[in-house]
Amino acid sequence: MEQNQQQWTTIIKPRTGWFDIDLKELWQYRDLVVMFVKRSFATLYKQTILGPAWILINPLLTTVIFTVVFGNIAGLAESGVPSFLFYMAGNAIWSFFASCITGTANTFVTNAGLFGKVYFPRLTMPISQVVISFINLLIQMLMFFCFWVWFYFFGQEYGTVQMNLWVLALPAVLLLVMVMG
C-alpha cells in the first residue's frame, strides 16, 4: 500500500515562544515600514493648521509652561542647570515614550481591517509608529541642542551648561525607552 507523497512548498509552523521574532522577515519588509511611516506622518500633520511646525511648537510650549509653573512658581531647584533646558530635555524623552506607547497601542485597533486582508509581519506597524516617534524626538533634540548652544554662550546668568560623559549614555537610554515603548 503506497501513499501519495506530496511535496509542500510552504510549511506553516506555530511560534515557539513569546519572543520568536523573525528579524530576517522584518528586514525583507523594510520598505513597507518606510511606507507606513510616510503615510502616518502625512496624515498626522496634513490635517493641522500649523502642519509639521507642531513638532516644535508643542514641546516648546510645554517646556515654557513647566518652566513657569515648576521653576518659577513652585521654586523647584534643578541643581544649577537652567530650568528651561532641564524641562525641555525631560519633555523630549517623555513625549517620545508617550507617543511610542499611544502609537503602538492604537496600531492594531486602527489597522484591524488591513491585517485580515493581506499578509505581512504584524510587527511592521508598531515599528513604524516607533520610527515616527523617533523622528519627532530627533527634531526636538535638535531644537534642544540649539537652546543648549544658546545657554552655553549667552545664558550664563541662568546656570552653568557643560557636557560630560553622561552624554555617551544617551543612545542606551533612547534604546531602552524605545524598547519599553
Side-chain angles (χ1 to χ4, degrees), residues 23-54:
L23 295 176
K24 182 181 170 187
E25 185 180 37
L26 280 173
W27 182 251
Q28 290 173 346
Y29 283 87
R30 66 188 178 274
D31 56 338
L32 185 63
V33 172
V34 171
M35 187 184 72
F36 284 146
V37 167
K38 288 179 182 178
R39 179 194 70 162
S40 296
F41 194 80
T43 57
L44 276 174
Y45 297 111
K46 270 189 179 178
Q47 298 175 357
T48 61
I49 293 172
L50 298 173
W54 192 247

Short mmCIF file of all heavy atoms in Angstrom, two decimals, residues 23-54:
data_model
loop_
_atom_site.label_atom_id
_atom_site.label_comp_id
_atom_site.label_asym_id
_atom_site.label_seq_id
_atom_site.Cartn_x
_atom_site.Cartn_y
_atom_site.Cartn_z
N LEU A 23 13.58 38.34 12.43
CA LEU A 23 14.21 39.59 12.01
C LEU A 23 14.51 39.61 10.52
O LEU A 23 14.47 40.67 9.89
CB LEU A 23 15.48 39.84 12.82
CG LEU A 23 15.28 40.05 14.32
CD1 LEU A 23 16.62 40.19 15.01
CD2 LEU A 23 14.40 41.24 14.58
N LYS A 24 14.78 38.45 9.94
CA LYS A 24 15.04 38.39 8.51
C LYS A 24 13.79 38.80 7.72
O LYS A 24 13.88 39.54 6.75
CB LYS A 24 15.47 36.98 8.13
CG LYS A 24 15.80 36.79 6.67
CD LYS A 24 16.20 35.36 6.40
CE LYS A 24 16.30 35.12 4.91
NZ LYS A 24 16.54 33.70 4.61
N GLU A 25 12.63 38.34 8.17
CA GLU A 25 11.38 38.70 7.50
C GLU A 25 11.08 40.18 7.68
O GLU A 25 10.62 40.85 6.75
CB GLU A 25 10.24 37.85 8.05
CG GLU A 25 8.93 38.07 7.33
CD GLU A 25 7.81 37.22 7.89
OE1 GLU A 25 7.77 37.03 9.12
OE2 GLU A 25 6.99 36.77 7.09
N LEU A 26 11.36 40.71 8.87
CA LEU A 26 11.17 42.15 9.09
C LEU A 26 12.07 42.95 8.17
O LEU A 26 11.67 43.99 7.65
CB LEU A 26 11.45 42.51 10.54
CG LEU A 26 10.33 42.24 11.53
CD1 LEU A 26 10.81 42.49 12.95
CD2 LEU A 26 9.12 43.08 11.22
N TRP A 27 13.29 42.51 7.97
CA TRP A 27 14.21 43.22 7.09
C TRP A 27 13.71 43.18 5.64
O TRP A 27 13.87 44.14 4.90
CB TRP A 27 15.61 42.63 7.19
CG TRP A 27 16.59 43.35 6.35
CD1 TRP A 27 17.18 42.89 5.21
CD2 TRP A 27 17.10 44.67 6.54
NE1 TRP A 27 18.02 43.82 4.69
CE2 TRP A 27 18.00 44.95 5.49
CE3 TRP A 27 16.89 45.65 7.50
CZ2 TRP A 27 18.67 46.14 5.38
CZ3 TRP A 27 17.56 46.84 7.39
CH2 TRP A 27 18.43 47.08 6.34
N GLN A 28 13.10 42.08 5.25
CA GLN A 28 12.56 41.97 3.89
C GLN A 28 11.39 42.93 3.67
O GLN A 28 11.16 43.36 2.55
CB GLN A 28 12.11 40.54 3.60
CG GLN A 28 13.26 39.56 3.49
CD GLN A 28 12.78 38.13 3.38
OE1 GLN A 28 11.63 37.82 3.64
NE2 GLN A 28 13.69 37.24 3.01
N TYR A 29 10.69 43.28 4.74
CA TYR A 29 9.54 44.17 4.64
C TYR A 29 9.88 45.60 5.09
O TYR A 29 9.00 46.36 5.46
CB TYR A 29 8.37 43.63 5.47
CG TYR A 29 7.65 42.49 4.80
CD1 TYR A 29 8.07 41.18 4.95
CD2 TYR A 29 6.55 42.75 4.01
CE1 TYR A 29 7.40 40.14 4.34
CE2 TYR A 29 5.86 41.71 3.40
CZ TYR A 29 6.30 40.41 3.57
OH TYR A 29 5.63 39.39 2.95
N ARG A 30 11.14 45.98 5.05
CA ARG A 30 11.55 47.32 5.49
C ARG A 30 10.93 48.42 4.63
O ARG A 30 10.65 49.51 5.13
CB ARG A 30 13.06 47.43 5.54
CG ARG A 30 13.75 47.36 4.20
CD ARG A 30 15.27 47.29 4.33
NE ARG A 30 15.92 47.18 3.05
CZ ARG A 30 16.14 46.05 2.40
NH1 ARG A 30 15.75 44.90 2.95
NH2 ARG A 30 16.74 46.04 1.24
N ASP A 31 10.70 48.15 3.35
CA ASP A 31 10.07 49.16 2.51
C ASP A 31 8.62 49.41 2.93
O ASP A 31 8.11 50.51 2.79
CB ASP A 31 10.15 48.78 1.04
CG ASP A 31 9.54 47.42 0.75
OD1 ASP A 31 9.43 46.60 1.69
OD2 ASP A 31 9.18 47.16 -0.42
N LEU A 32 7.98 48.38 3.47
CA LEU A 32 6.62 48.56 3.99
C LEU A 32 6.63 49.43 5.24
O LEU A 32 5.74 50.27 5.42
CB LEU A 32 6.00 47.19 4.30
CG LEU A 32 4.56 47.18 4.74
CD1 LEU A 32 3.65 47.71 3.63
CD2 LEU A 32 4.14 45.77 5.13
N VAL A 33 7.66 49.27 6.07
CA VAL A 33 7.79 50.13 7.25
C VAL A 33 7.96 51.58 6.82
O VAL A 33 7.33 52.48 7.38
CB VAL A 33 8.97 49.66 8.14
CG1 VAL A 33 9.24 50.65 9.26
CG2 VAL A 33 8.70 48.29 8.72
N VAL A 34 8.80 51.81 5.82
CA VAL A 34 9.01 53.17 5.31
C VAL A 34 7.70 53.75 4.76
O VAL A 34 7.37 54.92 5.01
CB VAL A 34 10.12 53.19 4.24
CG1 VAL A 34 10.21 54.53 3.55
CG2 VAL A 34 11.45 52.82 4.87
N MET A 35 6.95 52.92 4.06
CA MET A 35 5.67 53.39 3.51
C MET A 35 4.68 53.73 4.63
O MET A 35 3.99 54.75 4.57
CB MET A 35 5.05 52.33 2.60
CG MET A 35 3.82 52.81 1.87
SD MET A 35 3.04 51.53 0.90
CE MET A 35 2.33 50.52 2.19
N PHE A 36 4.64 52.90 5.68
CA PHE A 36 3.76 53.20 6.82
C PHE A 36 4.18 54.48 7.53
O PHE A 36 3.35 55.25 7.99
CB PHE A 36 3.74 52.03 7.81
CG PHE A 36 2.93 50.85 7.37
CD1 PHE A 36 3.33 49.57 7.72
CD2 PHE A 36 1.79 51.00 6.61
CE1 PHE A 36 2.59 48.47 7.32
CE2 PHE A 36 1.04 49.91 6.20
CZ PHE A 36 1.44 48.64 6.57
N VAL A 37 5.49 54.70 7.63
CA VAL A 37 5.99 55.92 8.28
C VAL A 37 5.57 57.15 7.48
O VAL A 37 5.07 58.13 8.03
CB VAL A 37 7.53 55.86 8.44
CG1 VAL A 37 8.10 57.22 8.80
CG2 VAL A 37 7.91 54.83 9.48
N LYS A 38 5.76 57.10 6.16
CA LYS A 38 5.37 58.24 5.31
C LYS A 38 3.87 58.49 5.39
O LYS A 38 3.42 59.64 5.49
CB LYS A 38 5.77 57.98 3.86
CG LYS A 38 7.25 58.07 3.62
CD LYS A 38 7.57 57.78 2.17
CE LYS A 38 9.06 57.81 1.91
NZ LYS A 38 9.38 57.49 0.52
N ARG A 39 3.08 57.42 5.35
CA ARG A 39 1.62 57.56 5.41
C ARG A 39 1.18 58.17 6.74
O ARG A 39 0.39 59.11 6.78
CB ARG A 39 0.96 56.20 5.22
CG ARG A 39 -0.56 56.26 5.29
CD ARG A 39 -1.15 54.91 5.43
NE ARG A 39 -0.84 54.40 6.77
CZ ARG A 39 -1.47 53.40 7.34
NH1 ARG A 39 -2.39 52.75 6.69
NH2 ARG A 39 -1.16 53.02 8.56
N SER A 40 1.70 57.65 7.83
CA SER A 40 1.31 58.15 9.15
C SER A 40 1.76 59.58 9.38
O SER A 40 1.04 60.39 9.96
CB SER A 40 1.85 57.24 10.25
OG SER A 40 1.30 55.97 10.14
N PHE A 41 2.98 59.89 8.94
CA PHE A 41 3.50 61.24 9.11
C PHE A 41 2.65 62.24 8.33
O PHE A 41 2.32 63.32 8.83
CB PHE A 41 4.96 61.31 8.66
CG PHE A 41 5.67 62.56 9.09
CD1 PHE A 41 6.15 62.67 10.37
CD2 PHE A 41 5.85 63.62 8.22
CE1 PHE A 41 6.80 63.82 10.79
CE2 PHE A 41 6.50 64.76 8.62
CZ PHE A 41 6.97 64.86 9.91
N ALA A 42 2.28 61.87 7.11
CA ALA A 42 1.45 62.76 6.29
C ALA A 42 0.06 62.95 6.89
O ALA A 42 -0.45 64.08 6.92
CB ALA A 42 1.34 62.20 4.88
N THR A 43 -0.54 61.89 7.39
CA THR A 43 -1.88 62.03 7.95
C THR A 43 -1.87 62.77 9.28
O THR A 43 -2.84 63.43 9.62
CB THR A 43 -2.56 60.67 8.13
OG1 THR A 43 -1.75 59.84 8.96
CG2 THR A 43 -2.80 60.00 6.81
N LEU A 44 -0.77 62.65 10.03
CA LEU A 44 -0.70 63.35 11.32
C LEU A 44 -0.63 64.86 11.14
O LEU A 44 -1.28 65.62 11.87
CB LEU A 44 0.52 62.89 12.11
CG LEU A 44 0.39 61.63 12.92
CD1 LEU A 44 1.74 61.25 13.51
CD2 LEU A 44 -0.64 61.78 14.01
N TYR A 45 0.17 65.32 10.21
CA TYR A 45 0.48 66.74 10.14
C TYR A 45 -0.17 67.49 8.99
O TYR A 45 -0.12 68.71 8.94
CB TYR A 45 1.99 66.95 10.12
CG TYR A 45 2.61 66.43 11.41
CD1 TYR A 45 3.42 65.31 11.42
CD2 TYR A 45 2.33 67.05 12.62
CE1 TYR A 45 3.96 64.84 12.60
CE2 TYR A 45 2.86 66.57 13.80
CZ TYR A 45 3.67 65.47 13.78
OH TYR A 45 4.19 65.00 14.94
N LYS A 46 -0.80 66.79 8.06
CA LYS A 46 -1.51 67.48 7.00
C LYS A 46 -2.84 68.05 7.49
O LYS A 46 -3.34 69.02 6.95
CB LYS A 46 -1.79 66.55 5.82
CG LYS A 46 -0.71 66.53 4.79
CD LYS A 46 -1.17 65.75 3.58
CE LYS A 46 -0.11 65.76 2.52
NZ LYS A 46 -0.51 64.96 1.35
N GLN A 47 -3.41 67.45 8.50
CA GLN A 47 -4.73 67.84 8.96
C GLN A 47 -4.69 68.92 10.03
O GLN A 47 -5.71 69.24 10.61
CB GLN A 47 -5.48 66.61 9.47
CG GLN A 47 -5.69 65.59 8.38
CD GLN A 47 -6.32 64.32 8.90
OE1 GLN A 47 -6.55 64.17 10.08
NE2 GLN A 47 -6.61 63.39 8.01
N THR A 48 -3.54 69.46 10.32
CA THR A 48 -3.44 70.52 11.32
C THR A 48 -3.15 71.85 10.61
O THR A 48 -2.61 71.87 9.51
CB THR A 48 -2.32 70.23 12.34
OG1 THR A 48 -1.08 70.16 11.65
CG2 THR A 48 -2.58 68.94 13.07
N ILE A 49 -3.50 72.92 11.27
CA ILE A 49 -3.28 74.25 10.70
C ILE A 49 -1.79 74.55 10.60
O ILE A 49 -1.31 75.06 9.59
CB ILE A 49 -3.99 75.33 11.55
CG1 ILE A 49 -5.49 75.13 11.45
CG2 ILE A 49 -3.60 76.71 11.10
CD1 ILE A 49 -6.28 76.01 12.40
N LEU A 50 -1.05 74.19 11.62
CA LEU A 50 0.38 74.52 11.65
C LEU A 50 1.25 73.48 10.96
O LEU A 50 2.42 73.73 10.71
CB LEU A 50 0.83 74.69 13.10
CG LEU A 50 0.14 75.83 13.85
CD1 LEU A 50 0.52 75.80 15.30
CD2 LEU A 50 0.48 77.16 13.21
N GLY A 51 0.70 72.31 10.66
CA GLY A 51 1.45 71.28 9.95
C GLY A 51 2.60 70.73 10.77
O GLY A 51 2.51 70.59 11.99
N PRO A 52 3.73 70.43 10.13
CA PRO A 52 4.87 69.86 10.85
C PRO A 52 5.50 70.81 11.87
O PRO A 52 6.29 70.37 12.68
CB PRO A 52 5.87 69.56 9.73
CG PRO A 52 5.08 69.48 8.49
CD PRO A 52 3.92 70.40 8.68
N ALA A 53 5.17 72.09 11.81
CA ALA A 53 5.69 73.01 12.83
C ALA A 53 5.20 72.64 14.22
O ALA A 53 5.81 73.04 15.22
CB ALA A 53 5.29 74.45 12.50
N TRP A 54 4.14 71.85 14.28
CA TRP A 54 3.61 71.43 15.57
C TRP A 54 4.61 70.56 16.32
O TRP A 54 4.59 70.50 17.55
CB TRP A 54 2.30 70.66 15.35
CG TRP A 54 1.54 70.43 16.60
CD1 TRP A 54 1.31 69.23 17.20
CD2 TRP A 54 0.93 71.41 17.44
NE1 TRP A 54 0.60 69.40 18.34
CE2 TRP A 54 0.35 70.74 18.51
CE3 TRP A 54 0.83 72.79 17.38
CZ2 TRP A 54 -0.33 71.39 19.52
CZ3 TRP A 54 0.15 73.45 18.38
CH2 TRP A 54 -0.42 72.75 19.44
#
